[in-house]
Amino acid sequence: MSRILIIAEHDGKTLNPATAKCLRCAQQLGGEVSIAVLGSQVAGIAAEAARLSGVARVLLVDNAANAHPLAALQAPQLAQLAAGFTHVLGPSTTFGKDLLPRVAALLDAPMLSDIMAVESPARFKRPIYAGNAIITVEVDAPVIVATVRIASFDAADSAGTAVVETITLATPAVTHTRLVDVSVQKADRPDLQTAKRVVSGGRALGSAENFSLVYALAESIGAGVGASRAAVDSGYAPNDLQVGQTGKIIAPELYIAVGISGAIQHMTGIKDARTIVAINKDPDAPIFEAADIGLVGDLFELLPQLTAAFQSRASK
Ligand SMILES: Cc1cc2nc3c(=O)[nH]c(=O)nc-3n(C[C@H](O)[C@H](O)[C@H](O)COP(=O)(O)OP(=O)(O)OC[C@H]3O[C@@H](n4cnc5c(N)ncnc54)[C@H](O)[C@@H]3O)c2cc1C
């Protein structure tokens, strides 16, 4: 029987929905699922994890040293917790991609990235070539460490009553890495990776000032904000908003791409989006091949009109 350990992603206050999506993947493996919650004063998060359906145990490591999710510090702790487990899973987010490969190295276990489907406890599907092909891989090892492509799984629901076990681990003596500073973007809008609606802007915005048109449209419909790499590289939007192969992989119900051409590296980040709306002045832009709804026109005319229309609907 598989024994699966999921590392919880959280911000110190609430559990990130990515954890419930990892759980759905774990449920498809079959077996017993535990969730590890590492943090400082995170009993509330452990309780939240315990409410997820189908979880047997929550392993709570509550330690002031874990106040920030420093991968170099958390990996040795997770490696200790992993004893006796057949699978160690985490989300394929910035957090998981930083942490899980270190755990695999410490356990001398194979690292599998971006599980998008489970065929058996040892056989998985994952994307390759920027999502242009899907490969089936079989892993023959006593422990498999893997990241889960959260855009490929629905969140497990919250009808569980798991036991929370508090575990004390010695704080690893990590000298090569220390936390210097945390700079958090103002988070008054939905998180890009879990938002149901996302508005993204591309190079066509032309400046950081003009990018405020994207923020305004997003705000009018309660959406998260994303950006193409060209917009990020040009300094119009911060790096953590980048959507695509080298950015975030997202699966919103609605994705509005504004002034984005639709390069393959961008599209790989939104291939699981339910409805794609493209706004582009070039009727031959590749984005229109993937879009469900296309608006051909100048974004500087269309965006203020759309924003005003949504705002007036919201005020009625
Ligand atoms: C290894 C690698 C990894 C990459 N990873 C990523 C990634 O993760 N994410 C990503 O996005 N890209 C990525 N890229 C870059 C990608 O190839 C494209 O260069 C990038 O996506 C282009 O961004 P864009 O669509 O904003 O810009 P452009 O390709 O310049 O497109 C701008 C679009 O805006 C339209 N437009 C211009 N003016 C207006 C207007 N006034 N109104 C309406 N429309 C207008 C144009 O018709 C055009 O279609 C990667 C590239 C490489 C090589």
Side-chain angles (χ1 to χ4, degrees):
M1 184 183 77
S2 301
R3 294 192 68 225
I4 305 147
L5 180 64
I6 297 172
I7 174 76
E9 177 167 353
H10 62 83
D11 61 1
K13 296 187 194 82
T14 52
L15 195 60
N16 188 299
T19 307
K21 294 187 174 201
C22 284
L23 176 57
R24 181 74 77 186
C25 172
Q27 287 166 345
Q28 293 177 12
L29 286 165
E32 190 188 278
V33 184
S34 299
I35 296 184
V37 175
L38 275 61
S40 173
Q41 301 192 332
V42 286
I45 291 167
E48 216 183 318
R51 284 194 293 276
L52 291 174
S53 300
V55 177
R57 287 184 307 152
V58 173
L59 310 180
L60 169 62
V61 183
D62 208 319
N63 182 337
N66 287 329
H68 295 289
L70 201 59
L73 201 65
Q74 293 202 341
Q77 298 176 70
L78 198 55
Q80 279 186 64
L81 288 177
F85 286 92
T86 55
H87 298 75
V88 181
L89 304 183
S92 196
T93 56
T94 308
F95 164 79
K97 286 193 273 192
D98 193 11
L99 180 60
L100 272 300
R102 296 167 192 258
V103 177
L106 290 168
L107 294 175
D108 199 17
M111 174 71 218
L112 175 64
S113 302
D114 285 334
I115 295 178
M116 60 187 297
V118 175
E119 295 203 336
S120 81
R123 214 174 140 96
F124 308 89
K125 286 191 188 298
R126 62 171 300 255
I128 54 168
Y129 305 134
N132 280 320
I134 310 296
I135 190 170
T136 303
V137 290
E138 212 164 84
V139 190
D140 180 16
V143 189
I144 299 172
V145 180
T147 55
V148 175
R149 190 174 184 276
I150 56 170
S152 303
F153 294 90
D154 292 331
D157 40 38
S158 292
T161 51
V163 180
V164 177
E165 282 177 30
T166 302
I167 296 190
T168 308
L169 296 175
T171 308
V174 174
T175 51
H176 53 71
T177 306
R178 67 190 165 87
L179 182 79
V180 175
D181 188 24
V182 181
S183 156
V184 183
Q185 298 290 332
K186 206 167 137 238
D188 52 359
R189 63 181 67 85
D191 170 51
L192 171 61
Q193 259 182 315
T194 49
K196 289 201 163 72
R197 299 165 180 171
V198 171
V199 182
S200 273
R203 193 197 312 266
L205 269 301
S207 69
E209 292 73 43
N210 291 343
F211 210 84
S212 61
L213 292 170
V214 173
Y215 288 115
L217 178 58
E219 207 162 297
S220 72
I221 55 168
V225 172
S228 72
R229 176 157 157 184
V232 169
D233 287 351
S234 307
Y236 308 160
N239 181 273
D240 61 334
L241 296 193
Q242 186 175 316
V243 171
Q245 182 188 340
T246 41
K248 304 226 158 82
I249 308 284
I250 58 174
E253 285 168 15
L254 173 68
Y255 185 75
I256 304 181
V258 181
I260 292 177
S261 58
I264 183 72
Q265 296 90 354
H266 186 81
M267 300 314 285
T268 193
I270 57 164
K271 74 194 243 323
D272 294 311
R274 192 97 33 99
T275 301
I276 298 175
V277 177
I279 300 174
N280 198 302
K281 70 176 185 185
D282 174 6
D284 296 322
I287 187 105
F288 287 126
E289 286 168 27
D292 300 283
I293 299 168
L295 272 174
V296 178
D298 188 335
L299 73 91
F300 294 104
E301 286 171 20
L302 292 172
L303 251 55
Q305 289 175 24
L306 280 172
T307 305
F310 289 130
Q311 281 168 344
S312 86
R313 253 182 83 155
S315 65
K316 276 181 192 156

